[in-house]
Amino acid sequence: MIETLFEAELARHGWDHLRQGSADWRQDIPGILRELTISECEDAASASYCRLEGTCFPQRLVTESCVAVVPCLLAALADGLGGPARGWVVEALRGIVGGEPIHTEVAVGNSSVVHDCIDTARAGLWLLLSLREQLAAADLANLHEVLAVLDAERASG
């Protein structure tokens, strides 16, 4: 059985040990990511995105879990993710790389969490650049925001 890049990336991370938006309301991030990537309709993809955002980067306040979420999102795109899920994955990347550290990350000395996410996302710059011809409207605008953070020089190209 050939494993997808997405599943291989999910397996690489110790999800139980990564900080989320709430210590009292821990969520199954791999499950949420799987739901997002298999969403076949806009409503399902939007609902999965909202759960991911609330768990990992509420109101663009980035948590430690995002450092693992970013390569999973990129792996899903590399696997050829399409449909409404692709736009929500780009939206999630925009929320993370354009965010700021949540106060609980700053309190534990992890104020570089957003920079860590940006560095991780830069590894997928080639992939994100290739999406420029495949996205339209709001999804393309979100992609350009991500690219502006990762590589402003090539973002407009």
Side-chain angles (χ1 to χ4, degrees):
M1 181 171 104
I2 296 176
E3 187 173 275
T4 64
L5 292 172
F6 172 73
E7 286 296 331
E9 192 59 38
L10 277 180
R12 264 186 3 97
H13 303 283
W15 297 101
D16 292 339
H17 305 291
L18 297 173
R19 287 181 297 278
Q20 298 181 9
S22 170
D24 300 325
W25 187 64
R26 288 193 62 80
Q27 297 292 301
D28 173 23
I29 297 173
I32 295 169
L33 288 167
R34 282 186 185 102
E35 287 174 15
L36 176 59
T37 61
I38 63 168
S39 297
E40 294 183 9
C41 70
E42 183 66 29
D43 288 344
S46 173
S48 296
Y49 165 82
C50 288
R51 286 186 56 216
L52 181 66
E53 187 259 345
T55 301
C56 301
F57 54 105
Q59 299 179 352
R60 297 178 81 172
L61 297 173
V62 177
T63 66
E64 177 188 42
S65 61
C66 290
V67 178
V69 167
V70 167
C72 292
L73 296 173
L74 292 170
L77 291 170
D79 282 339
L81 182 65
R86 182 171 58 188
W88 287 106
V89 164
V90 173
E91 171 72 13
L93 289 169
R94 184 187 69 85
I96 294 168
V97 303
E100 60 185 72
I102 196 167
H103 70 281
T104 52
E105 292 298 332
V106 174
V108 297
N110 192 19
S111 58
S112 69
V113 67
V114 174
H115 295 293
D116 296 342
C117 291
I118 291 168
D119 288 344
T120 300
R122 278 191 181 119
L125 185 60
W126 61 272
L127 173 64
L128 296 170
L129 288 167
S130 74
L131 291 177
R132 290 184 295 188
E133 302 300 320
Q134 300 171 29
L135 299 175
D139 296 338
L140 183 58
N142 286 335
L143 177 64
H144 282 295
E145 286 189 41
V146 171
L147 293 173
V149 172
L150 302 183
D151 187 359
E153 203 171 290
R154 288 190 275 187
S156 60

